[in-house]
Amino acid sequence: MKSTDRAAAFGLAGALALSLAACSSGGSDGADAGSTDGAGKTTLRVVSLLPGSEQAAIDAFDKQVDEFEAANPDIDVVPEEYEWKATTFAAQLAGGTLPDVFEIPFTDAKTLIANGQLSDMDAQFRTLPYADKFNPAIVEAGSSEDGKVYAIPAKNVYGIGLHYNRKLFESAGLDPDQPPTTWDQVAQDAKKIADANPGVAGYMQMSQNGTGGWQLTVQTYARGGRVQELSADGATATSTIDNPATVEALEWLQKMRWQDSSLGSNFLLDWGTMNEAFAAGQVAMYTSGSDVFTSMVQSNGLDPATYGLAALPLSDAPDAGVLSGGTLAAVPAGASDAVKDAAIAWIDFFYTAKLVDQDRAVADARTLVADDQPVGTPVLPMFGREQWEQNQEWIKDYINVPLDQMQSYIDSMFDLPLVNEPSRHTQEIYALMDPVVQAVLTDQDADIASLLADADQQAQALLDQD
């Protein structure tokens, strides 16, 4: 799931949370989108920013469009605001209202490819001069069983981190340079913050639109559990939602909610509304993809001075790990070769060339900084650590995010025990885990064992359909 645009966000991660909006930041109604006129000029609809983004972010994006069109006079780019949500994405795709280049979380590509809902972009992908430099595991996420690339790594690869409000930490007498490193410390700090700031959630967890299941999976992984296991040959999958680590995570939430009263009063947050609440100072801590800082600055008016990012606490369990995810760029099935060629040119320009080409990296960073947009938000490398470090050296004069307030995460990001999201029926299973989280947050007598047994049974029924 998507995290930064989901959502992310996302997270999306997850999460990441993706909702779709058809309004355009470029002023076009998109009526002639995805077409090529008699003079050979192709109109290409592309995702731009989250709905409601700050004007400065829109200005920076439009400058990038102008730069691209100047270099590609045969392509007319039509930006469309976009946010992925599991609850609406399928209908948008089936209805043909997605842009020609849209974003999906890693978890969705395999199913969309199998269903014939994405265009084969293999030939276009192979034209990229750096195609063979991608991390093969990341390329595989968007490839069919026969190895053809349908969805191209773009935008980000993230590990989940602990986001916290430094100002709220200080208000409770806590040191914002010493974020919690265990879940017990998270709970203790959350109670101190909630007690010192009535109405503020010391910690909060997403709970709807599939993000409740996404984040419950994060909590499960961090305690060494898993929610799904594949057979040795990958032919079958078994739901393991009902496991000791998930029970422990829910009991941890239950205690904070009903004994500590440290979770605030809004128990129906998803990726987008969580970001809003955090940026507004209503939530002191939550977990999401490491890249979500950029989205909160662009869309939620986050004050960077209040922001902190820490490594996700992990238990001592041998299989404890950090859920990772990322974003792919894709084109709907049925696109013409002209549209696919235009799409790969845009993907190269906007998403990926800036990671491997110094001139493009500097130009992109310069444009963003000119409009006070974030440069340097920590994400995991798509091409390997050496390439990532080279890129950071190229743009070091433009990095404007508060890296010193993210040091806990940065110090560990290359050593994280990353764990992929469950691979089968991911979004559907996340959605059926939402009610489990909601019940724990809203019903003092919620029976965790019964809730997990029921969710596990429903998940297995889905897996048995394969």
Side-chain angles (χ1 to χ4, degrees), residues 343-390:
I344 198 66
W346 174 254
I347 291 169
D348 173 50
F349 171 85
F350 185 68
Y351 293 108
T352 51
K354 63 185 177 185
L355 303 177
V356 294
D357 180 272
Q358 182 173 3
D359 290 342
R360 183 74 203 109
V362 171
D364 180 81
R366 184 187 297 125
T367 297
L368 293 173
V369 167
D371 283 297
D372 294 326
Q373 296 306 293
V375 173
T377 300
V379 293
L380 300 176
M382 288 198 286
F383 294 92
R385 181 169 182 171
E386 184 176 350
Q387 183 62 57
W388 181 89
E389 291 174 341
Q390 176 67 79

Side-chain angles (χ1 to χ4, degrees), residues 127-434:
T127 66
L128 296 175
Y130 45 85
D132 61 352
K133 294 182 180 179
F134 279 99
N135 181 326
I138 295 175
V139 175
E140 199 278 334
S143 300
S144 60
E145 290 187 1
D146 61 1
K148 288 187 176 181
V149 174
Y150 283 73
I152 297 168
K155 201 167 190 175
N156 56 36
V157 179
Y158 67 84
I160 295 292
L162 177 68
H163 307 266
Y164 66 100
N165 184 309
R166 294 173 59 86
K167 185 177 179 181
L168 289 172
F169 264 60
E170 290 174 339
S171 73
L174 299 170
D175 183 352
D177 292 325
Q178 299 293 324
T181 58
T182 69
W183 293 112
D184 285 344
Q185 290 176 357
V186 170
Q188 292 164 11
D189 290 353
K191 179 167 174 50
K192 290 179 181 177
I193 292 168
D195 288 346
N197 300 274
V200 168
Y203 175 89
M204 194 49 200
Q205 185 132 335
M206 300 176 203
S207 63
Q208 65 173 347
N209 294 326
T211 62
W214 175 46
Q215 287 300 304
L216 183 56
T217 302
V218 168
Q219 292 283 342
T220 299
Y221 284 7
R223 291 167 171 81
R226 300 291 184 268
V227 299
Q228 188 179 105
E229 292 183 355
L230 299 181
S231 60
D233 61 0
T236 61
T238 301
S239 175
T240 56
I241 290 174
D242 188 1
N243 70 82
T246 306
V247 172
E248 182 181 332
L250 290 168
E251 289 177 343
W252 176 78
L253 278 176
Q254 197 171 48
K255 178 179 181 299
M256 285 197 291
R257 168 68 176 96
W258 300 104
Q259 294 185 30
D260 298 347
S261 298
S262 58
L263 301 186
S265 57
N266 186 349
F267 307 113
L268 286 176
L269 296 172
D270 62 12
W271 183 85
T273 51
M274 179 69 84
N275 292 343
E276 292 175 13
F278 180 84
Q282 298 166 357
V283 170
M285 289 183 280
Y286 77 111
T287 55
S288 189
S290 63
D291 56 337
V292 75
F293 171 83
T294 295
S295 176
M296 287 195 287
V297 171
Q298 292 180 333
S299 305
N300 305 120
L302 175 71
D303 177 3
T306 68
Y307 179 79
L309 174 63
L312 191 76
L314 298 178
S315 77
D316 294 330
D319 291 332
V322 176
L323 183 144
S324 66
T327 301
L328 303 165
V331 175
S336 68
D337 285 344
V339 170
K340 292 196 294 183
D341 290 345
I344 198 66
W346 174 254
I347 291 169
D348 173 50
F349 171 85
F350 185 68
Y351 293 108
T352 51
K354 63 185 177 185
L355 303 177
V356 294
D357 180 272
Q358 182 173 3
D359 290 342
R360 183 74 203 109
V362 171
D364 180 81
R366 184 187 297 125
T367 297
L368 293 173
V369 167
D371 283 297
D372 294 326
Q373 296 306 293
V375 173
T377 300
V379 293
L380 300 176
M382 288 198 286
F383 294 92
R385 181 169 182 171
E386 184 176 350
Q387 183 62 57
W388 181 89
E389 291 174 341
Q390 176 67 79
N391 176 269
Q392 296 299 292
E393 180 66 21
W394 291 336
I395 64 172
K396 65 180 182 181
D397 291 340
Y398 299 94
I399 292 176
N400 57 6
V401 302
L403 293 180
D404 58 328
Q405 297 165 205
M406 308 175 182
Q407 207 59 51
S408 167
Y409 181 86
I410 295 170
D411 287 346
S412 65
M413 61 184 281
F414 289 108
D415 300 316
L416 296 174
L418 299 174
V419 183
N420 293 333
E421 295 181 76
S423 60
R424 305 288 173 82
H425 294 278
T426 310
Q427 303 301 337
E428 295 163 280
I429 290 175
Y430 282 166
L432 64 85
M433 293 166 71
D434 280 356

Side-chain angles (χ1 to χ4, degrees), residues 68-144:
F68 175 80
E69 290 180 336
N72 298 272
D74 58 340
I75 302 174
D76 179 23
V77 171
V78 180
E80 294 188 6
E81 295 178 346
Y82 175 94
E83 183 185 357
W84 185 94
K85 279 189 177 180
T87 50
T88 56
F89 174 77
Q92 295 282 347
L93 181 58
T97 58
L98 287 175
D100 301 308
V101 179
F102 59 90
E103 298 167 359
I104 55 174
F106 282 4
T107 53
D108 282 25
K110 295 292 187 185
T111 299
L112 295 173
I113 294 168
N115 291 343
Q117 293 174 289
L118 302 182
S119 281
D120 179 352
M121 292 291 291
D122 194 73
Q124 287 75 20
F125 174 73
R126 305 295 173 192
T127 66
L128 296 175
Y130 45 85
D132 61 352
K133 294 182 180 179
F134 279 99
N135 181 326
I138 295 175
V139 175
E140 199 278 334
S143 300
S144 60

Side-chain angles (χ1 to χ4, degrees), residues 9-28:
F10 234 229
L12 88 253
L16 303 172
L18 316 174
S19 68
L20 304 169
C23 51
S24 166
S25 65
S28 169

